[in-house]
Structures are given as structure tokens and as C-alpha cells.
Amino acid sequence: MSRLLITVATAVTTIAVFTLHAPAVAHRTAVSPFTFHRDVVPILEARCGRCHLDDSVSGVALLRYPGARNAIWPIRQALASGHMPPWFAEGAFKAPAPVTGRELNILMTWATGGAPEGRPVPREPLVPARWALGTPDLVVPMPVAFSMAGNQRDVVHDVAMPARRIAGRLIRAVDLRPGTPAMVRRAEIIARSGGREQVLGLWQPGEAAAPLEANAAFRVPVNAAVVLRMHYRRPVGPAISDRSELGVYFARAAANPITTIELGAAAGREADHRVDRPLQVVAVRAMSGPSGAWVRLVLVAPDGARQPLARLEIRPEWNRRYVFSKPVILTAGSRIETSLVPSADTLWTSLIGERPGSADHLRVVLEVVDSSN
Amino acid sequence: MIFAVKRLAPAAVLVWAAFGLCPPLAAQPSPHAVHGPRYGGAFATAASDTLHIEALWTEQRRLRVFVVDASGGPVPIDQLRDLNALVIAGDRESPLALLESDGYFEARIPTLTLPAVITMRLRPPAAAARDEVTFSFSGYTLDVLGLASASPAEIPGTLAGIVAALADDRRVVRAMVEQSEFSGLFALEERIRDRVLAIEPYLEPMPAAVRANAPAAIALVVRGCWLLHTVLDYGSADQRDAALSQLGEALDRLMAAVPGAAQ
């Protein structure tokens, strides 16, 4: 007997049929008029494809029918809960184009309504760009490959990178090219010196490293070590190894060096940071905090005028830098108000089966340059 | 009962489950209706999460039983052949015959009149009784092939009309939450979704600020609708409540982003 039927065993179904009096409107049956090849693939390619190729670390190959068909329930969860596409911020950021209401409706109708395949449409395969910002000025491979044994799942591995050609330089952007995309979940690129760690980049799969505005750049200390903090996730299957490459884009000598402002707040309370000199905010990142909670940043001008700066949802797995499309001007004497809105909405957590995080200490970092430069 | 039903004559009766052990997030049995791909109906899930069963009572006094996999896909015909299927209505047992070319089971029950209690038993050969799963069905709908879906007439022909209609929907959402009265939720979410998507064509001549903010607000409402739909299919009462209030907030945001009355 087939395994399928053994697991189902016997289903005894009792049906009680009622007569109904009150006229009410029945719901429409969800039979998708949209088919995979004609309607769904173009949306998946544009909005999801770069992270959901056959060898992506997401493990969900969406651009082929069998992969998408097998994932219709996770697709429904991920889309309805807002977990996918992963963008957990509101603000004037350089952001990938979002899924529109119409597109979302097509994807959900298809996934809910039987996921019909339709007739294949010839299409060029999606080839992700090698380096989103163009060829880097310097490419540094990991000195040795990192292997994961068959019993490992998630491993954080610090790689000491040769820093000779990076230390002491001004860096406009860094990027990562995973050697084995299927196992590189995310990475932090860090300059470490004197016990201090400076984040040069937070890499996420499928994400183009956004160049910073205001001619901003990181000054890597002369004595710095460069560390690649790799978050590996082994796919199901045999042992596997990775040797990723770090891409470095140098800035012109006249670039504005970036400094950081650390913000924090306890749940339900507000915290203030006073700006003592004119600054421009180029990027913001939420480094830690209770997962699922929202951080709200509000700019308060010296005359009391308030302007929302950003709202970030804390998703430890999705740590990233949100780059402002235009630098935000902070005048001396203004304040940045930080508040933490605990996750009232437990829906995404319950839908994707995660629990809201504990009260991890909130740490939000603003990357700023001096306006006087 | 959170599901709305309607009589539409003449048509078939879709029998559906309002109870079942649902995959994979509901810790306890919860209202449930997965909308089937082909037959326009809803499924009961088997405990293993691997099979769904849907039954359809037709005007010709036939009971059709569809067996599909957990995601609504077909079960290979040889696995269906292995099933020993029968239906019990009143004190009468009738075999469910597999119609191979159609891929479903059917029983003729000429004496059956509604309302009635129907028991279906699908038993793989040599299955043990302890593996039995019981579903209680507590409602039915006559909606076959979308006959009762919102008609286009329900979408007003002007932006102001659409926004006013959505404002009414917003009030319905609020009243549902306040009064814990949840009938017609599927129909409500579909109506809101249709209406909010109908706003898109009106955006082009709008001021830049509206064009900048409205698309995200529209997408948020569409997502709120589907979230509600998804938790109605699979979720718990808590999730339903949370989804409803999320949808309400998304509507508020839409109202703020689209100045409908200005049109």
C-alpha cells in the first residue's frame, strides 16, 4: 500500500447539513484564473527570483513549477504575513520595487486557487548580476574554503581576511559574492581594531549593496583586521563547502568619513539623542532588539517640529543596512526620538511559527557624516 | 459559525468542513475551509495533513467525493483505487464508486432529502481503526463555481464611490470586532479586495503625494484581506481577530492616503 495512504489511514467524515434561513452572501470559490507560466512567473522573477533560484539559500526554487507548486502553503503564509519579500522598514530608503496590490492578489489567488500550471511560455533564464555595483576595485577571496559536515545546520564562522590592501583606506561599499550560494544565509563585513568592531556591510542574499549618498565612506583604521562573519546554513544533503569573495569599492580621497550614533530604548519608553553638530544621516540599521518589535525614529527639530525618520521591524535574521535615498539633514540642537513598539501583532510570528523575541537589548545604529565637510 | 452561506437554486450543494485538524499552525481544532482548486468547494483535512476530502451533493441526488493531496493536487489514480469507500446516510449504506475518468467517487442516494447527516468512510485496505479520523461538518454552501461572488455592480463607478464603499466596509470590520459577529467574512474580504484594487486606475491624474503613498496603502489592504482569508482557511480564532484588526488599520491608512471625496 502506498505511503500516502498509510499516513492518511481512515477518514470518517460526518456531514451535518443545516437548512439556512438568513440570506447571506456566499464566498466565491477560489479557482485561480491565473496560471503559473503566463501570470505568476513574471511576478516571481521580478520580485522574488533573485533569492529563489534553484541554488538559493532560501531552499525554495520558485521559478520552476514543481518548486513553486510544492511551496504554495509557505507562499501563502510568507506573503500574507508580510514575511516575503523581506523588507522590514518604512522610510525614504533605497528599496527594491515592492510587490503591488495587483501582483500580490495574483500570487495569492494562484496559490490559494489550486496553483494551475498553464502552458509553458519560453523565457530567458534569470541570471543574477555577478556584482551589483559593477566590478569591485578589489576582490578578496576567503583564504580557505569552509566546509560543513552532514550533521551541521546553522554555523556562524568568522573568517580573517587579508587586510593589507584595505586597512587605512576609505571604502564606499563592500559586497559579497557567495561561492556556494545554497549555504550562505547572510554575512557581516567588519573592520576590527582596538577591540572595536565597525560594520562595513551587512550582506543578505539577493540584495544589491546600496551605495551611500553624500560621498560618504568608511575609514578603515590602519591597524584594522577585516573579518567576514559568515552565517552559514547547510541545505539538506551531503557535506558542502564555500569559498566566498569579498568585493571592495574604494572611495575618492575626499570622501566624508562615516561615524555612527548608537540609539537604544526600552519597550514602551522613549529615548532621546541630542544632536550637537550638523549631521547628515546616510543609513540606519537595527542591530539587535526583541524580534518582531518595531523601532520608531522621529526627528525633532530645535523648534519642536516632528518628522518621522524611519520605522524598522526587528528581524535578527534579516539584519541589514537601510540606506536613505537622500541624506537626512540634522541641525545642531535637534533630537532623535527612539521608541520601541512591542510586537502587538503576533500574526507573522504565529504564521511562520516563530515566537516573538525576548527583550533583547535594542541597538539601532545611525551612520552619519559631518555636514560641515 | 464564521462562514456565510447562501441558497442559490438550482445548483448543487457544496458540503464542507467547519472543523478539522488543520496544518500546521493550529494547535487546536479550528474553523476550516480550504478552497479547492477544481470543484469550487472546501476541504476537510485528514489528520496527517496529506489528504483533503471534499464532498459535493448534486441536484441529481448524487454524492461526489473528491480526494486530493494537502495542497489541492491530484492523488494518483492507483492510490484512489486502493480505497474502500462508502457513505452512510440515515440507516442506509451505499458504496462510493470510483469514476476513474473523472477522478472522484460517487454514490447515488435517491432517498436522501436534506437536511441530513451523512457519514463518509474512506478506508485504505488493512488500515487500523485506531488511525481513524473524524470530521464534523457543520454547514454547507450552495455556491458552485463562484455564482455568488461579488458582482461588478458592487464596485462603484467613481473613486469617491469606491472610497465611500470602503468606508462602509471599514465600519463593518469595526462592528464585527466589537460585536464578535463574524458571518460573511470571506465575502467581506473579497469585496474589500475587489474595491481596493479598483482604485489603481484612478491614481494617474492624482497629486504626486497621493501617487507616492497610495500604492503601498493599497497593497497593504490587499495583504490584510489575504491574511484574513488565510487564517480563515487555516488559523485560529485569535488569528482571525488579529487579522481583522490589521485589515481595519490598513483601511484607515488607505483612507488617509487616498482623498476619495476630492474626486
Side-chain angles (χ1 to χ4, degrees):
Chain A
M1 188 174 42
S2 74
R3 275 182 28 230
L4 184 61
L5 289 179
I6 293 171
T7 52
V8 169
T10 307
V12 178
T13 309
T14 309
I15 310 166
V17 184
F18 297 107
T19 333
L20 287 133
H21 34 274
V25 184
H27 60 84
R28 161 169 82 206
T29 53
V31 181
S32 172
F34 308 113
T35 64
F36 181 73
H37 296 292
R38 188 190 59 208
D39 308 296
V40 172
V41 169
I43 302 172
L44 293 177
E45 275 193 347
R47 310 287 180 235
C48 329
R50 63 189 191 278
C51 306
H52 287 283
L53 298 163
D54 291 351
D55 64 346
S56 293
V57 67
S58 60
V60 187
L62 286 180
L63 299 184
R64 290 179 202 279
Y65 184 68
R69 180 70 181 70
N70 278 337
I72 56 173
W73 171 237
I75 288 172
R76 289 178 64 188
Q77 285 174 296
L79 289 176
S81 65
H83 183 61
M84 288 286 145
W87 186 260
F88 307 110
E90 290 170 21
F93 299 120
K94 292 185 181 176
V99 179
T100 66
R102 194 190 60 83
E103 292 171 337
L104 182 61
N105 197 47
I106 291 174
L107 295 179
M108 287 299 288
T109 303
W110 175 80
T112 307
E117 175 168 13
R119 213 174 291 146
V121 176
R123 210 169 248 119
E124 294 290 306
L126 191 71
V127 184
R130 272 174 71 93
W131 295 102
L133 298 184
T135 309
D137 300 321
L138 176 67
V139 174
V140 191
M142 279 166 52
V144 290
F146 177 76
S147 302
M148 281 177 93
N151 60 350
Q152 290 176 302
R153 170 79 177 144
D154 287 287
V155 172
V156 184
H157 174 63
D158 275 4
V159 183
M161 299 293 280
R164 195 172 48 83
R165 296 171 64 191
I166 303 173
R169 301 288 303 264
L170 276 164
I171 288 175
R172 178 163 64 89
V174 288
D175 200 357
L176 187 91
R177 204 160 82 87
T180 307
M183 66 184 280
V184 184
R185 174 59 190 83
R186 61 192 174 100
E188 291 149 51
I189 299 113
I190 296 164
R192 190 192 279 154
S193 76
R196 205 176 150 266
E197 289 192 348
Q198 178 188 12
V199 173
L200 302 178
L202 297 173
W203 181 89
Q204 288 284 357
E207 186 151 280
L212 299 168
E213 294 298 314
N215 198 17
F218 296 98
R219 185 187 296 288
V220 181
V222 192
N223 58 354
V226 174
V227 176
L228 216 52
R229 183 160 299 153
M230 304 293 291
H231 294 249
Y232 285 115
R233 171 164 301 169
R234 196 181 64 82
V236 183
I240 189 169
S241 73
D242 167 68
R243 193 167 175 210
S244 294
E245 291 172 328
L246 173 66
V248 182
Y249 299 84
F250 294 118
R252 293 192 307 276
N256 290 328
I258 291 169
T259 53
T260 55
I261 296 177
E262 298 238 352
L263 306 169
R269 288 231 239 103
E270 283 167 5
D272 263 1
H273 177 89
R274 256 188 80 83
V275 180
D276 53 12
R277 61 187 199 286
L279 294 172
Q280 301 182 55
V281 188
V282 291
V284 59
R285 47 193 159 88
M287 296 305 288
S288 67
S291 92
W294 281 89
V295 188
R296 197 170 41 209
L297 303 180
V298 177
L299 264 185
V300 188
D303 66 1
R306 299 166 64 82
Q307 177 201 337
L309 179 63
R311 256 165 64 92
L312 308 178
E313 189 177 350
I314 297 171
R315 296 285 183 100
E317 281 281 274
W318 284 103
N319 251 3
R320 72 173 98 194
R321 155 188 288 131
Y322 293 99
V323 174
F324 287 98
S325 30
K326 274 189 293 184
V328 182
I329 313 285
L330 304 182
T331 49
S334 57
R335 293 182 294 122
I336 301 162
E337 208 176 79
T338 308
S339 54
L340 184 63
V341 188
S343 166
D345 162 21
T346 54
L347 265 172
W348 76 266
T349 44
S350 58
L351 269 175
I352 66 169
E354 277 181 37
R355 302 245 51 79
S358 58
D360 288 336
H361 176 65
L362 176 68
R363 215 180 122 230
V364 177
V365 176
L366 294 184
E367 293 175 358
V368 300
V369 296
D370 256 322
S371 273
S372 37
N373 292 0
Chain B
M1 260 302 272
I2 62 166
F3 303 110
V5 284
K6 184 181 184 179
R7 248 176 210 291
L8 286 177
V13 180
L14 276 181
V15 188
W16 53 319
F19 234 94
L21 282 172
C22 313
L25 38 114
Q28 73 255 34
S30 61
H32 178 66
V34 182
H35 303 277
R38 260 160 286 207
Y39 324 112
F43 301 111
T45 34
S48 61
D49 299 344
T50 55
L51 280 199
H52 290 87
I53 301 161
E54 176 184 15
L56 182 72
W57 175 244
T58 71
E59 289 291 294
Q60 293 77 38
R61 301 186 174 277
R62 288 166 202 244
L63 185 78
R64 288 187 187 154
V65 177
F66 302 89
V67 179
V68 292
D69 73 18
S71 48
V75 174
I77 197 78
D78 56 331
Q79 296 181 0
L80 292 181
R81 271 187 215 126
D82 274 356
L83 285 170
N84 171 347
L86 57 84
V87 55
I88 305 158
D91 50 7
R92 211 187 131 107
E93 255 186 37
S94 319
L96 272 167
L98 177 62
L99 305 183
E100 296 207 2
S101 56
D102 298 311
Y104 55 75
F105 295 89
E106 192 175 86
R108 296 195 55 181
I109 319 177
T111 53
L112 183 71
T113 50
L114 297 179
V117 172
I118 301 172
T119 302
M120 268 185 283
R121 185 171 295 153
L122 301 175
R123 187 194 297 273
R130 66 184 151 74
D131 292 329
E132 284 189 1
V133 186
T134 308
F135 293 106
S136 18
F137 287 73
S138 60
Y140 70 93
T141 167
L142 292 172
D143 179 15
V144 180
L145 303 179
L147 292 178
S149 61
S151 66
E154 284 189 56
I155 299 174
T158 62
L159 180 61
I162 296 172
V163 174
L166 284 167
D168 285 343
D169 292 331
R170 173 69 182 106
R171 279 188 280 279
V172 173
V173 169
R174 187 173 292 123
M176 279 183 164
V177 175
E178 281 165 9
Q179 296 159 21
S180 297
E181 161 43 56
F182 301 113
S183 56
L185 269 186
F186 277 113
L188 176 71
E189 84 68 20
E190 282 160 8
R191 190 169 74 219
I192 295 176
R193 192 147 42 85
D194 287 348
R195 286 174 173 168
V196 79
L197 286 169
I199 292 177
E200 272 180 357
Y202 292 96
L203 291 179
E204 200 158 323
M206 292 290 215
V210 176
R211 272 183 288 126
N213 293 325
I218 290 173
L220 201 66
V221 174
V222 172
R223 177 152 86 74
C225 288
W226 278 113
L227 179 64
L228 183 60
H229 188 118
T230 306
V231 300
L232 290 178
D233 269 356
Y234 284 102
S236 64
D238 283 351
Q239 289 176 326
R240 174 201 61 204
D241 295 352
L244 255 182
S245 54
Q246 198 161 313
L247 176 58
E249 283 162 28
L251 280 169
D252 288 342
R253 205 162 141 167
L254 180 77
M255 302 293 163
V258 180
Q263 191 68 12

